[in-house]
């Protein structure tokens, strides 16, 4: 597995993948929270150039839809939720309830929220676009301030 750090306009990210396939993005909220990658990971950005290029284009407002080769490793239910998330339009939002209905399981709002929280590729799989049924921001691994910043960024570039 190869990894590198990417400085977005809002926070630092750790991105990781192997064999040209992106597998993980982590938000690094401060220098003190930098996770220690496993010893068999290699710090090298060259295998991640396409992901870096597309993230740069996204953050500059030029890219609305990612076209990266990704690997989403999770339960069948999680993968179903993550697949539906990828269909959520740039600059728009969807509630947990709407997402549950979209996957054909309208009573699974909490399970959808749990799957959303375990998304290994935030931004690429846009879990920041999921909001509460009342329209308010709720739950996000990078924090609500970052979630709001990502939504504002997308709305500015629609």
């Amino acid at each position: 597995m190869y990894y590198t750090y990417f400085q977005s306009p809002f926070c630092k990210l750790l991105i990781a993948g192997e064999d040209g396939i992106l597998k993980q993005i982590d938000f690094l909220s401060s220098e003190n929270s930098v996770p220690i990658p496993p010893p068999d990971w290699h710090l090298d950005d060259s295998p991640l150039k396409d992901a870096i290029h597309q993230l740069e284009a996204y953050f500059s407002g030029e890219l609305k839809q990612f076209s990266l080769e990704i690997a989403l490793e999770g339960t069948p239910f999680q993968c179903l939720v993550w697949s539906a998330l990828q269909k959520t339009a740039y600059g728009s939002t969807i509630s947990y309830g709407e997402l549950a209905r979209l996957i054909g399981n309208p009573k699974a709002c909490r399970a959808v929220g749990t799957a959303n929280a375990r998304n290994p590729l935030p931004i690429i799989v846009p879990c920041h676009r999921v909001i509460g049924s009342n329209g308010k921001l709720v739950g996000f691994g990078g924090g609500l301030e970052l979630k709001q910043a990502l939504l504002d960024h997308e709305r500015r570039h629609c």
Side-chain angles (χ1 to χ4, degrees):
M1 182 87 84
Y2 294 96
Y3 74 98
T4 192
Y5 298 99
F6 175 84
Q7 185 62 54
S8 82
F10 309 115
C11 70
K12 194 173 192 178
L13 305 172
L14 179 142
I15 59 176
E18 60 186 350
D19 301 324
I21 301 169
L22 187 63
K23 292 189 165 193
Q24 184 174 331
I25 294 178
D26 293 315
F27 298 113
L28 308 176
S29 57
S30 72
E31 291 304 317
N32 298 333
S33 70
V34 176
I36 299 170
D40 60 335
W41 284 25
H42 306 283
L43 179 61
D44 183 356
D45 66 355
S46 56
L48 301 162
K49 286 289 187 197
D50 194 29
I52 293 166
H53 174 72
Q54 288 193 37
L55 284 166
E56 288 170 341
Y58 169 82
F59 284 112
S60 71
E62 298 168 15
L63 182 77
K64 312 274 189 280
Q65 181 74 38
F66 291 96
S67 60
L68 294 166
E69 199 168 339
I70 61 174
L72 293 169
E73 298 171 2
T75 67
F77 181 80
Q78 289 170 333
C79 290
L80 181 63
V81 171
W82 299 333
S83 178
L85 271 174
Q86 292 177 73
K87 297 172 187 159
T88 307
Y90 181 93
S92 68
T93 56
I94 187 170
S95 73
Y96 292 98
E98 290 170 315
L99 191 53
R101 284 189 292 282
L102 189 63
I103 63 167
N105 198 341
K107 295 184 179 187
C109 295
R110 287 190 180 175
V112 163
T114 300
N116 204 44
R118 294 202 172 117
N119 173 13
L121 291 170
I123 300 172
I124 309 300
V125 177
C127 54
H128 61 280
R129 296 180 189 154
V130 184
I131 59 172
S133 60
N134 60 2
K136 296 193 180 203
L137 299 187
V138 292
F140 186 63
L144 295 183
E145 189 175 307
L146 177 58
K147 184 174 193 167
Q148 185 66 62
L150 290 168
L151 291 172
D152 291 346
H153 165 75
E154 290 185 4
R155 288 180 183 133
R156 274 192 310 274
H157 293 93
C158 273

